[in-house]
Amino acid sequence: GAVVSQHPSWVICKSGTSVKIECRSLDFQATTMFWYRQFPKQSLMLMATSNEGSKATYEQGVEKDKFLINHASLTLSTLTVTSAHPEDSSFYICSAREEGNTEAFFGQGTRLTVV
Amino acid sequence: LAKTTQPISMDSYEGQEVNITCSHNNIATNDYITWYQQFPSQGPRFIIQGYKTKVTNEVASLFIPADRKSSTLSLPRVSLSDTAVYYCLVGEGGGFKTIFGAGTRLFVKA
């Protein structure tokens, strides 16, 4: 199957700083990318959907000014957690889909810990 | 978006066949059914996808009745390494939002 690479796998940052997470589709063009957040023992919660070259569409309750998403190319989307706080600590996962394909491929996730 | 309902958890023993059923009463005509597997601290991994009847690949089978209001993921002869959370998703192919339900936590015992 297609490969989606997420970087970094884990990150620890100080409260008040910003963190950027990258999501790359390695062998296909991802016209649509999705960002999720997952807390321990819970399911994945969709945060936003981004289409290449367009502004991201955020799910209800997700602060777009706090979670900045950029999908500037067909192989790269980034999620920036701005002014991170301990409650933002979570497992962040991206997925990508190629236009016309019914299957979404997931990255390996990024464990964010804010101290 | 169609909502899915799965059992919260299931236990099995090594070598047994495991069937996990998912209900999706509001499935739309254009919706596909996709199953993912997730291990702790990893992203979900695609298992199988289908639209109707039966689909089989090297790791699982997916049974979908004619009314498509449910589907059953069948894992033949599970092993300890199949212990994971399994998610059933329903959505329109080609551009749907992948909304995850609660998933089924499968625990395989020796």
Side-chain angles (χ1 to χ4, degrees):
Chain A
V3 178
V4 174
S5 177
Q6 207 171 319
H7 179 79
S9 297
W10 60 270
V11 57
I12 301 172
C13 71
K14 290 184 177 181
S15 187
T17 62
S18 296
V19 175
K20 180 184 285 188
I21 302 170
E22 293 187 346
C23 179
R24 294 181 183 273
S25 57
L26 300 185
D27 50 4
F28 67 100
Q29 294 187 326
T31 48
T32 305
M33 286 189 169
F34 306 91
W35 286 95
Y36 298 83
R37 180 167 54 181
Q38 186 176 33
F39 293 106
K41 302 293 185 183
Q42 294 186 23
S43 183
L44 286 77
M45 185 194 79
L46 180 66
M47 299 175 67
T49 303
S50 72
N51 292 294
E52 184 266 337
S54 306
K55 288 185 177 180
T57 301
Y58 290 81
E59 295 298 304
Q60 191 172 9
V62 178
E63 300 175 56
K64 62 181 181 181
D65 294 329
K66 181 170 183 61
F67 299 99
L68 302 179
I69 292 172
N70 184 286
H71 190 170
S73 79
L74 286 172
T75 60
L76 174 64
S77 176
T78 61
L79 166 67
T80 301
V81 183
T82 63
S83 187
H85 292 284
E87 57 265 30
D88 297 323
S89 297
S90 187
F91 192 54
Y92 292 86
I93 308 169
C94 72
S95 73
R97 170 177 286 109
E98 187 176 25
E99 186 174 1
N101 196 328
T102 58
E103 183 179 333
F105 300 95
F106 287 80
Q108 70 270 38
T110 297
R111 173 76 57 193
L112 170 64
T113 302
V114 184
V115 298
Chain B
L1 292 171
K3 180 182 176 181
T4 60
T5 304
Q6 304 172 234
I8 294 175
S9 65
M10 294 181 68
D11 287 346
S12 182
Y13 289 93
E14 282 190 292
Q16 289 188 332
E17 177 184 79
V18 170
N19 296 309
I20 307 175
T21 297
C22 177
S23 297
H24 28 80
N25 293 318
N26 296 324
I27 190 169
T29 303
N30 293 337
D31 286 346
Y32 284 77
I33 301 158
T34 312
W35 285 80
Y36 287 90
Q37 175 192 55
Q38 187 184 29
F39 297 112
S41 297
Q42 294 186 27
R45 183 176 73 100
F46 173 87
I47 300 174
I48 197 166
Q49 185 181 78
Y51 183 80
K52 62 179 179 181
T53 62
K54 177 184 175 182
V55 180
T56 298
N57 61 22
E58 61 276 8
V59 298
S61 294
L62 178 59
F63 299 92
I64 306 169
D67 65 5
R68 304 203 322 125
K69 293 184 182 299
S70 67
S71 60
T72 299
L73 172 72
S74 181
L75 304 173
R77 300 182 60 79
V78 294
S79 63
L80 295 176
S81 61
D82 293 317
T83 294
V85 179
Y86 293 82
Y87 294 97
C88 160
L89 284 81
V90 172
E92 181 180 344
F96 67 93
K97 296 194 299 187
T98 315
I99 304 292
F100 282 77
T104 297
R105 192 171 298 272
L106 173 66
F107 185 67
V108 180
K109 296 179 275 191

